Amino acid sequence: MKKVLTADQSETFLNEEVGESYHSYTGAVEEAMKKYAEPTKIRELAKSGQIRILDAFFGMGYNSAMAVSVALEENPDCKIEVVGLELDAAIVSKIQEVNPEIPFFKYYKKLSIDQLSFVEDNVSVKILLGDIRETTKQLGNEYFDVVFWDPFSPKTMPDMWSEDLFKEMARVMKSTGVLATYSCARMVRDNMVKAGLFYDDGPCVGRRGPGTLAVKWE
Ligand SMILES: C[S@@+](CC[C@H](N)C(=O)[O-])C[C@H]1O[C@@H](n2cnc3c(N)ncnc32)[C@H](O)[C@@H]1O
């Protein structure tokens, strides 16, 4: 895997086999903040004192590490549980090779192939390693406040944007939960609706189309 510097000077990797990078070239850290932490209103949630985050397609965990950083800045006593879902142990080990400007990321360095979880004060982080179509089965109903949905693109990996997987997300999200993703593809949004999710435009960050935010039908 080749290391790449993105436009905000944060590092990512290019996966040559897939033909895609792990983050947007317009800025990996910017993406974690503007496409995931901000639109899911992490700062507001932190005031409630407890947040459960599902970081689906965890990779090196930039998205949840940013969300934890923002939450702790707002409320240092906030209790936060992060569950990451990731197939590839090799990308988790790449955490040691990057240093994004995300305050909580220094603790993510505790993660490795041999250590897939840690607790740091009020924050617990655990990665379930395996195919997401299997690992989601381990998750409880109505559990998560926030889901970050960050697979490779719908064009390359359509199976990761399926109705069935979004149904699983509808199952594990609280009634007040929100899912954020970078894609606005028609197929993605149609599958969300079929799965019982209601969507809206997410923010436009460094690309032409907006992202998508999804919540459950009441
Ligand atoms: C765009 S990258 C995610 C980047 C990540 N959010 C980060 O901050 O580093 C997509 C990730 O999906 C993972 N992936 C691909 N197929 C998967 C599957 N079937 N189940 C779980 N994860 C998968 C890849 O290994 C890769 O790490």
Side-chain angles (χ1 to χ4, degrees):
M1 270 192 271
K2 192 175 139 210
K3 198 190 260 191
V4 184
L5 199 60
T6 69
D8 68 1
Q9 304 304 307
S10 55
E11 299 158 316
T12 190
F13 286 92
L14 171 67
N15 185 317
E16 280 107 343
E17 218 173 289
V18 178
E20 289 185 20
S21 60
Y22 286 81
H23 299 92
S24 165
Y25 287 142
T26 60
V29 166
E30 179 191 61
E31 183 178 41
M33 179 65 106
K34 298 208 171 138
K35 287 186 198 160
Y36 295 98
E38 283 181 0
T40 54
K41 299 194 166 63
I42 292 291
R43 202 172 278 284
E44 286 303 306
L45 283 170
K47 291 177 187 160
S48 76
Q50 186 177 22
I51 311 179
R52 292 175 181 153
I53 300 170
L54 182 62
D55 191 354
F57 308 94
F58 184 88
M60 293 177 285
Y62 284 22
N63 298 335
S64 54
M66 178 62 87
V68 172
S69 306
V70 168
L72 292 179
E73 192 183 278
E74 179 63 36
N75 176 5
D77 297 323
C78 189
K79 203 165 167 270
I80 307 170
E81 181 179 345
V82 175
V83 177
L85 304 178
E86 175 56 50
L87 177 66
D88 182 11
I91 190 63
V92 175
S93 65
K94 292 283 182 194
I95 288 174
Q96 306 310 325
E97 296 179 33
V98 291
N99 293 294
E101 277 194 37
I102 300 174
F104 199 77
F105 195 80
K106 61 176 181 276
Y107 300 112
Y108 273 42
K109 300 254 177 195
K110 294 182 180 184
L111 295 167
S112 70
I113 296 171
D114 301 318
Q115 197 188 331
L116 291 170
S117 66
F118 69 87
V119 177
E120 177 66 34
D121 291 335
N122 301 326
V123 182
S124 75
V125 178
K126 173 174 75 178
I127 300 175
L128 303 180
L129 205 60
D131 190 313
I132 195 163
R133 287 163 288 200
E134 293 302 318
T135 50
T136 49
K137 293 177 188 163
Q138 298 175 42
L139 306 173
N141 292 347
E142 309 240 326
Y143 195 76
F144 292 98
D145 299 289
V146 168
V147 176
F148 298 142
W149 196 256
D150 193 18
F152 290 121
S153 72
K155 216 170 158 186
T156 339
M157 294 208 173
D159 290 357
M160 298 297 111
W161 304 86
S162 68
E163 179 186 341
D164 281 353
L165 274 177
F166 287 133
K167 270 192 184 140
E168 275 295 88
M169 292 306 108
R171 178 181 71 76
V172 303
M173 280 159 71
K174 288 184 184 171
S175 60
T176 51
V178 58
L179 177 150
T181 189
Y182 66 86
S183 175
C184 65
R186 181 81 267 148
M187 172 277 258
V188 168
R189 290 179 165 190
D190 286 349
N191 283 342
M192 286 174 171
V193 171
K194 287 186 212 156
L197 296 170
F198 175 81
Y199 69 81
D200 203 350
D201 282 351
C204 289
V205 184
R207 60 168 62 215
R208 266 174 284 158
T212 300
L213 296 174
V215 294
K216 285 162 77 158
W217 290 104
E218 280 305 314

